Amino acid sequence: MNRKSFIIVLWISFFIGTFTFIFFTGDKTVSVYFINLFIAVLYALTISAGNGMINDYLSRHYSWVEETRTRTILGIVATVLVNVVLILFCNYTNLVLFQKMEFTGFFSGTMGFANWFGINIALLISAVLHAKGFIEEWKKSTRKEIVEQKLIAKSANAQFESLKNQLDPHFLFNSLNVLSALIDENPSQAQHFTAAMSKIYRYVLEQKDKELVTIEEELDFAKTYCELLKTRFEDSVNFEFSINEDNRKLFVVPLSLQLLLENCIKHNFATAQKPLNIKIYANNGFLFIENNLQQREQMKESAGIGLANIVQRYSLLTKQNVFIEKSTDFFRVKIPILTQKITAMTPQPSEESLAYDRAFKRVKELKGFYGNLISYCLVIPFLIFINLKTVPEYQWFWWPMLGWGIGVASHALQVFGIGRDWEEKQIRKIMEKEKQANN
């Protein structure tokens, strides 16, 4: 128990002791007042310290968030056992040692009722402490989850922006290389290439900041780029596009076709006798870029920026993979076709709101349960007191105590998910049967 908690317990003891002395003590002397204060401190300090130690020990070894069920079961068992021992100890000290009552009647009559009433009050205090601990841990977990998601989103966003920024110099330098070669081979076509390259570069600047574009947009740009390549290679390179209208409305990462077409030209030789044949087609949710393999000898090792850029951008946007297939006859790259436009790299408030909604719903469930439990702990002892004072020969209090107790137990099973695994297994079993029947 820390200093703050200790001071709070002392203040509570002071008010309880003073209240008892004023309203329930006949002998208004200083010594009796201090005896009342001592007894109040005895109960308050023993119950709060004992329950605090249980709560701290269980919280250190069993997480409320990750091991909710285990923490709840052990908490209930430990709380009941320890509070029974604590109340019996306090009542023995108070009633037998201070008030000099006979120990033979400790478990019956007035002292028996005092034991029962004290245990219920102690359980009530313990339930409040456990509820407070759970809510605090859940809030910490929710805040931690939100912060982690924001950090991941910011990191991914920075990485994604870095990848997109690679496209400007990469496209420009490669286009200038093509232009440089074309100036030596065909100056008139080089002039046409320069004019067309400015239009294409404008598209690069417009599209590179987008996370996804339609296949139709990418195809139109790729065809323009292919026309430029034809001005240099003429009949040495052939392009074949085969994509139906349904796939044209779906999405890919921007400039993916241009980078892969550029990759084909860069790593393969092409002549009129042995033309480089490049096919672009869609199948089974993938966009294929395939060429016959005519690998040229590299004077120096390639940096591999184009293909690596596409792979990394897809990894940040979707769990679907980019596939690279190579044989002695062909080289093929398969990029996933995405069915919806997503924004995965910016911090998403929906994740935060979902986490908050889950926490709010969970706290609401717990408040309902602990409200039910607190009402039970307060009302049932009162009913017992009324019953024993009015008609002690007929103990009717057992009926509401058992009936309401079963309701509280059922509420606990529902709130803490005890037995929920069985429900989930049955749901999965029924779903599998329905799936098999449909197949």
Side-chain angles (χ1 to χ4, degrees), residues 344-385:
M345 293 302 101
T346 55
Q348 299 182 18
S350 59
E351 291 292 336
E352 182 175 346
S353 61
L354 286 174
Y356 177 81
D357 289 341
R358 289 195 300 268
F360 181 81
K361 183 179 178 182
R362 185 61 177 161
V363 171
K364 189 175 181 180
E365 290 178 350
L366 286 167
K367 285 174 66 178
F369 168 72
Y370 284 117
N372 191 7
L373 180 61
I374 290 170
S375 300
Y376 178 82
C377 293
L378 291 175
V379 174
I380 294 300
F382 178 73
L383 293 178
I384 295 173
F385 177 77

Side-chain angles (χ1 to χ4, degrees), residues 313-349:
R313 280 194 290 158
Y314 264 108
S315 69
L316 292 173
L317 288 171
T318 178
K319 293 182 179 179
Q320 299 185 62
N321 295 320
V322 175
F323 293 95
I324 301 171
E325 300 174 358
K326 183 178 180 180
S327 71
T328 55
D329 299 323
F330 69 86
F331 184 85
R332 179 190 298 150
V333 178
K334 298 162 54 177
I335 59 175
I337 297 175
L338 304 179
T339 58
Q340 58 181 346
K341 205 163 188 176
I342 55 177
T343 305
M345 293 302 101
T346 55
Q348 299 182 18

Side-chain angles (χ1 to χ4, degrees), residues 21 46 62 65 68 70 74 89 107 112 122 134 169 206 222 233 259 299 306 330 333 341 367 380 386 401 422-423:
F21 175 76
T46 303
Y62 304 96
V65 179
T68 306
T70 304
L74 292 178
F89 167 77
F107 294 101
F134 176 83
E206 291 173 352
F233 294 100
L259 289 171
M299 298 298 294
F330 69 86
V333 178
K341 205 163 188 176
K367 285 174 66 178
I380 294 300
I386 296 297
M401 186 177 70
W422 177 85
E423 294 179 0

Side-chain angles (χ1 to χ4, degrees), residues 46-286:
T46 303
I47 294 171
S48 59
N51 283 282
M53 291 175 61
I54 296 171
N55 195 22
D56 292 341
Y57 176 82
L58 291 175
S59 296
R60 284 197 304 268
H61 293 81
Y62 304 96
S63 170
W64 267 120
V65 179
E66 298 175 359
E67 301 171 284
T68 306
R69 185 181 307 174
T70 304
R71 175 69 174 80
T72 302
I73 294 173
L74 292 178
I76 292 173
V77 173
T79 298
V80 171
L81 293 177
V82 171
N83 278 288
V84 168
V85 173
L86 293 177
I87 291 299
L88 292 179
F89 167 77
C90 291
N91 282 345
Y92 178 81
T93 304
N94 176 28
L95 301 175
V96 177
L97 298 182
F98 280 95
Q99 299 188 33
K100 306 301 181 181
M101 293 184 179
E102 293 293 333
F103 179 75
T104 53
F106 187 70
F107 294 101
S108 61
T110 303
M111 287 195 290
F113 174 76
N115 292 333
W116 174 259
F117 186 80
I119 290 170
N120 279 275
I121 295 299
L123 291 176
L124 173 62
I125 295 172
S126 179
V128 172
L129 290 174
H130 285 290
K132 180 175 177 290
F134 176 83
I135 293 172
E136 288 177 350
E137 288 298 319
W138 191 271
K139 286 180 179 179
K140 288 180 183 178
S141 175
T142 303
R143 286 195 294 266
K144 182 179 178 182
E145 181 182 353
I146 292 170
V147 170
E148 288 178 350
Q149 288 174 351
K150 285 184 177 180
L151 290 175
I152 291 171
K154 287 179 180 179
S155 175
N157 187 57
Q159 186 179 356
F160 194 76
E161 290 299 323
S162 175
L163 289 170
K164 289 193 294 185
N165 290 334
Q166 287 181 356
L167 300 179
D168 281 350
H170 182 68
F171 173 79
L172 182 59
F173 293 149
N174 281 281
S175 297
L176 290 176
N177 288 334
V178 174
L179 179 61
S180 176
L182 199 58
I183 289 172
D184 295 333
E185 297 172 6
N186 194 330
S188 62
Q189 287 187 349
Q191 185 176 3
H192 172 70
F193 185 92
T194 303
M197 191 182 77
S198 65
K199 297 180 181 179
I200 293 177
Y201 193 64
R202 185 180 298 113
Y203 176 87
V204 173
L205 294 176
E206 291 173 352
Q207 301 298 330
K208 77 178 185 65
D209 290 329
K210 297 180 180 179
E211 290 168 355
L212 292 174
V213 295
T214 62
I215 293 178
E216 187 171 19
E217 290 178 292
E218 194 71 5
L219 280 176
D220 291 340
F221 168 69
K223 288 177 180 178
T224 304
Y225 182 71
C226 289
E227 290 177 4
L228 289 183
L229 293 176
K230 289 288 284 186
T231 62
R232 177 188 175 191
F233 294 100
E234 298 180 343
D235 295 333
S236 298
V237 178
N238 298 315
F239 300 96
E240 180 183 338
F241 294 86
S242 178
I243 298 177
N244 59 39
E245 290 296 326
D246 293 336
N247 286 319
R248 287 174 179 266
K249 302 301 180 183
L250 302 179
F251 301 94
V252 292
V253 296
L255 304 177
S256 53
L257 275 181
Q258 182 268 328
L259 289 171
L260 292 173
L261 290 170
E262 182 183 282
N263 200 59
C264 295
I265 298 297
K266 183 178 179 181
H267 295 286
N268 294 276
F269 68 84
T271 64
Q273 292 75 26
K274 289 186 176 182
L276 181 65
N277 300 312
I278 302 174
K279 299 179 182 178
I280 297 95
Y281 59 96
N283 187 28
N284 292 331
F286 285 89

